[in-house]
Amino acid sequence: MTFTIEIVLRESDDAVTENLSHPATPRDWTVDDVREILKKMLTAIDRAKNPDAPLRDVTLRGFSWIVEPSGGKVVIAIEIPMGAAVAGPFDTDERRLTSLITQALAAPTTTVH
């Protein structure tokens, strides 16, 4: 599925809009899908701030988020020190998506082999 993300960087009055994609539909998302969506959103914010920089690793820490209803669907809003973004709308249940995000953020970020 393709979805829109609107980004507003700190100290800017203009929004940047980008289309992102993910193979699964929102009603079928798992914790791993939500983790990838959040990473895509954070990467899009970084790309808006640093368009010529190489892609950087993303860690799912240090940001505020909320799932909000929007026209019978839901959006994901996140905020980090460099700006804020809203992605969606997604056709899924608000409570389920909130739970999936909570689980995705609670997962460990380091793998030890």
Side-chain angles (χ1 to χ4, degrees):
M1 78 153 304
T2 300
F3 60 94
T4 302
I5 181 169
E6 293 183 0
I7 303 160
V8 177
L9 299 173
R10 294 262 188 253
E11 302 177 12
S12 175
D13 295 328
D14 300 322
V16 175
T17 302
E18 185 175 335
N19 290 320
L20 301 176
S21 62
H22 188 74
T25 59
R27 288 194 179 272
D28 297 328
W29 282 352
T30 64
V31 171
D32 289 334
D33 290 311
V34 169
R35 188 176 296 115
E36 287 305 310
I37 295 294
L38 294 172
K39 286 181 179 183
K40 288 177 182 185
M41 291 177 68
L42 291 167
T43 299
I45 295 171
D46 187 52
R47 196 171 33 251
K49 177 74 174 177
N50 305 297
D52 297 325
L55 289 178
R56 298 188 285 179
D57 289 333
V58 174
T59 302
L60 297 182
R61 298 283 183 259
F63 65 93
S64 300
W65 63 273
I66 191 166
V67 175
E68 284 287 322
S70 177
K73 297 181 180 182
V74 296
V75 296
I76 302 170
I78 63 175
E79 184 176 3
I80 61 174
M82 73 172 66
V86 176
F90 303 109
D91 186 14
T92 193
D93 180 73
E94 179 181 355
R95 286 186 298 221
R96 181 174 180 278
L97 183 54
T98 297
S99 176
L100 288 170
I101 292 173
T102 300
Q103 292 172 62
L105 297 178
T109 58
T110 304
T111 303
V112 178
H113 295 269

